[in-house]
Amino acid sequence: MTDISTTHDADLALKAKHRAMWALGNYPAVATEVIAELGPALVAATGIGPGDRVLDIAAGSGNASIPAALTGATVLATDLTPELFEVGRRDAEAAGATLDWQEADAEALLFDDASFDAVISCVGVMFAPHHRAAADELLRVTRPGGRIGLLSWTPTGFIGQMFATMKPYAPPPPPGAQPPPLWGDEVHVRELIGDRVTDLQARTDNLRVERFATGEDFREFFKSAYGPTIAVYRNIADDHERVAALDLDLLELAQRHDLGGGAMNWEYLLVTAQRG
């Protein structure tokens, strides 16, 4: 009983830490200024349309939820960090979209089995620390024959490499937590869901990012807006040499991926499937 209680308390603490991390900075700015194209791409690939009951897991400020609602679907946007919903509600109203918002843990969804026609997540569920638990939940709430759509950064792409760059400066992950970019590895995703779905399709593609004129622009934007980057810098804030080293490492990363004029390609994996 003590071990179970200790594990439960540790999980609650981890989720509280994750919630606080994503509330840092200005993630909605990342969603609208940098990766806005990803949500509509995921919605189209998943075949969402009028009458569909849709769950968006780790929806953030609605990057995919709002485009899904604009198709005529009935959409529930969920996230562990409800602080992001305020901007999402404003964006939805401005776009003329109607949808619901609800705080939810991707690893413990409070919905009945087979509740949704489509379950999607746009660079969201990949950040749940326990991949098997999150995969089990998203499958559980999808009705038989329903669609699943997942878009995740790949380990070898720009964002995956950014997390690898930040790893030496971050605190060690808690036991059992898995790296987010594994969701961008087709083999890993097939191991998580492959035997419980049909017609699984996986393809890699690139988001062309032209938001940043220079590597310095990218680094400073992510230092101020992106929760995981802010958290890593806070972890080393008292060590000026390590801060300078991370500054240089992130700059060099951006420069290696610069296609000219600050443009970059950020690779992602798009997975669609039907619930078996």
Side-chain angles (χ1 to χ4, degrees):
M1 183 65 71
T2 301
D3 289 344
I4 295 174
S5 177
T6 300
T7 300
H8 178 69
D9 290 346
D11 189 60
L12 288 177
L14 175 59
K15 297 300 172 58
K17 183 178 179 180
H18 272 231
R19 172 177 172 168
M21 178 182 71
W22 288 105
L24 295 172
N26 186 2
Y27 183 75
V30 179
T32 57
E33 297 179 26
V34 186
I35 64 169
E37 297 174 25
L38 296 184
L42 176 61
V43 169
T46 312
I48 291 170
D52 281 333
R53 298 164 299 164
V54 179
L55 174 67
D56 188 357
I57 299 175
S61 54
N63 177 254
S65 301
I66 294 171
L70 289 173
T71 71
T74 299
V75 179
L76 176 58
T78 65
D79 202 281
L80 187 65
T81 306
E83 291 87 342
L84 301 173
F85 294 166
E86 182 180 353
V87 173
R89 290 188 179 100
R90 290 202 302 267
D91 289 347
E93 182 178 4
T98 300
L99 63 154
D100 293 321
W101 305 81
Q102 183 173 326
E103 181 179 350
D105 179 354
E107 298 177 5
L109 297 171
L110 300 178
F111 310 118
D112 293 336
D113 296 356
S115 295
F116 299 94
D117 299 308
V119 175
I120 60 174
S121 188
C122 183
V123 294
V125 73
M126 65 180 290
F127 291 100
H130 307 109
H131 295 186
R132 175 66 65 181
D136 289 349
E137 282 294 272
L138 70 88
L139 287 165
R140 180 184 65 78
V141 300
T142 308
R143 68 165 175 81
R147 286 100 65 209
I148 294 164
L150 305 169
L151 192 153
S152 308
W153 302 119
T154 66
T156 54
F158 179 79
I159 296 295
Q161 289 301 297
M162 184 187 76
F163 276 93
T165 298
M166 295 192 302
K167 183 178 179 180
Y169 302 93
Q178 295 175 279
L182 277 179
W183 276 94
D185 181 334
E186 181 181 344
V187 172
H188 182 67
V189 176
R190 287 185 179 275
E191 289 174 348
L192 290 174
I193 69 172
D195 61 347
R196 295 179 282 177
V197 300
T198 61
D199 193 28
L200 190 154
Q201 304 289 324
R203 64 176 175 87
T204 56
D205 206 340
N206 285 292
L207 172 71
R208 187 174 179 88
V209 175
E210 298 179 315
R211 164 64 173 74
F212 311 108
T214 65
E216 289 88 351
D217 287 344
F218 154 76
R219 183 189 65 203
E220 296 308 308
F221 180 85
F222 267 61
K223 284 176 69 172
S224 65
Y226 194 60
T229 305
I230 296 169
V232 170
Y233 271 98
R234 287 189 176 185
N235 183 59
I236 59 173
D238 294 333
D239 189 331
H240 300 300
E241 290 186 1
R242 296 191 76 199
V243 169
L246 179 54
D247 276 347
L248 181 59
D249 287 348
L250 288 176
L251 176 59
E252 291 178 344
L253 172 72
Q255 291 173 337
R256 288 198 303 272
H257 286 79
D258 190 347
L259 301 174
M264 294 182 278
N265 282 335
W266 293 6
E267 187 181 66
Y268 61 85
L269 177 72
L270 178 59
V271 174
T272 58
Q274 283 193 317
R275 179 73 167 96

